[in-house]
Amino acid sequence: MAVFTEVSQDEAGELARRLQLGELLDLRGIHGGIENTNYFLTTAKDGRRDEYVLTLFERLSFRQLPFYLHLMKHLALRGIPVPDPQADTTGAILHTVRGKPAAVVNRLHGKSELAPTTAHCASVGAMLARMHLAARDYPHSQPNLRGLAWWNETVPLVLPHLEPAQAALIRSELALQNHVAAGSAYAALPRGPVHADLFRDNAMFEDEQLTGIFDFYFAGVDSWLFDIAVCLNDWCVDLDTGAHDAARARNFLGAYGAVRPLCAAERQLLPAMLRAGALRFWISRLWDFHLPREAAMLKAHDPIHFERVLRQRAAHPVAA
């Protein structure tokens, strides 16, 4: 999250009134992240103070956004703790601010756990499985926009910025992922809407109780195994070295499997999909680091971290 587009108190206040959220008391830009403009809104209505998050979408279009927003509504209605997009009097949940698509959601309680225990990992694993099953009957479809097609398009753009050893690694890994995606085991993977970005800072806890999952704006239809791999590559690795944390991974996968057991194809392809998850975020971080956009609050993530994770996943395959 960052601030690319400045929003005034008057503009935010008018939107809050239009959504019948009450009078705007406070508007604060949110630091961190790199995709959208985000603000915290504090409002007052009927003697009660409430907090919301206003997001202006800097890359996603009016055409793409209904998939994400209605997915959040769909999950919330099925008991998954996700932000609930706020509707205006016509029922619309996609709005316009400063000429850009925007949404307002309730702010989740709790805080992110940046040093997760095995218990935190188990909670996330179980909730991810619940979320996958809850989205099975979601009626809309949109591909993962940061999937294999995007990797193939983006690697040539970042190659000029890489050292020879890095360039060789990214080329060989991309070739491997294209080969895996063409295989019969990959075609057999269960698929559906996935979060695709469920990192430590996109979940909230109070004590060890998971209170919410947010930031669905990389969601899309992909293999559920890819979603699992993205989580394992963040929740269950050592951040300094990128090395696999077996205890946290066992708890994550055990809790996930207790809700939705993995099929044979998923067990077979977990090592390759862990490499795919690491490649995806190495590419995107290289892109954001070397080809940045301007923002009032912006700090690009270090791409070296996911290069380390990828090298670890290639050298030390993990069995399901």
Side-chain angles (χ1 to χ4, degrees), residues 55-132:
T55 299
L56 277 65
F57 299 97
E58 303 291 345
R59 285 179 169 166
L60 296 169
S61 68
F62 283 98
R63 179 183 57 82
Q64 295 166 335
L65 279 161
F67 175 87
Y68 308 106
L69 298 177
H70 287 287
L71 175 60
M72 291 156 64
K73 275 284 188 188
H74 181 93
L75 293 172
L77 288 171
R78 285 153 179 78
I80 307 299
V82 300
D84 187 8
Q86 303 297 297
D88 63 19
T89 55
T90 71
I93 58 177
L94 178 58
H95 314 294
T96 303
V97 176
R98 299 293 301 271
K100 296 185 176 181
V104 176
V105 301
N106 58 303
R107 185 177 178 183
L108 299 173
H109 297 291
K111 64 178 183 178
S112 295
E113 180 50 70
L114 301 183
T117 65
T118 55
H120 292 115
C121 293
S123 295
V124 175
M127 187 60 69
L128 184 68
R130 285 183 54 202
M131 188 168 66
H132 288 163

Side-chain angles (χ1 to χ4, degrees), residues 35-49:
E35 284 297 319
N36 301 310
T37 290
N38 290 272
Y39 288 89
F40 287 132
L41 308 180
T42 303
T43 65
K45 183 179 181 181
D46 300 329
R48 187 185 72 247
R49 291 166 65 101

Side-chain angles (χ1 to χ4, degrees), residues 100-169:
K100 296 185 176 181
V104 176
V105 301
N106 58 303
R107 185 177 178 183
L108 299 173
H109 297 291
K111 64 178 183 178
S112 295
E113 180 50 70
L114 301 183
T117 65
T118 55
H120 292 115
C121 293
S123 295
V124 175
M127 187 60 69
L128 184 68
R130 285 183 54 202
M131 188 168 66
H132 288 163
L133 296 177
R136 282 181 302 182
D137 61 344
Y138 184 56
H140 306 291
S141 182
Q142 179 171 280
N144 177 2
L145 300 180
R146 291 291 180 91
L148 182 61
W150 186 81
W151 310 345
N152 284 318
E153 293 170 1
T154 307
V155 164
L157 302 179
V158 301
L159 276 173
H161 303 279
L162 302 184
E163 298 296 328
Q166 293 174 312
L169 174 62

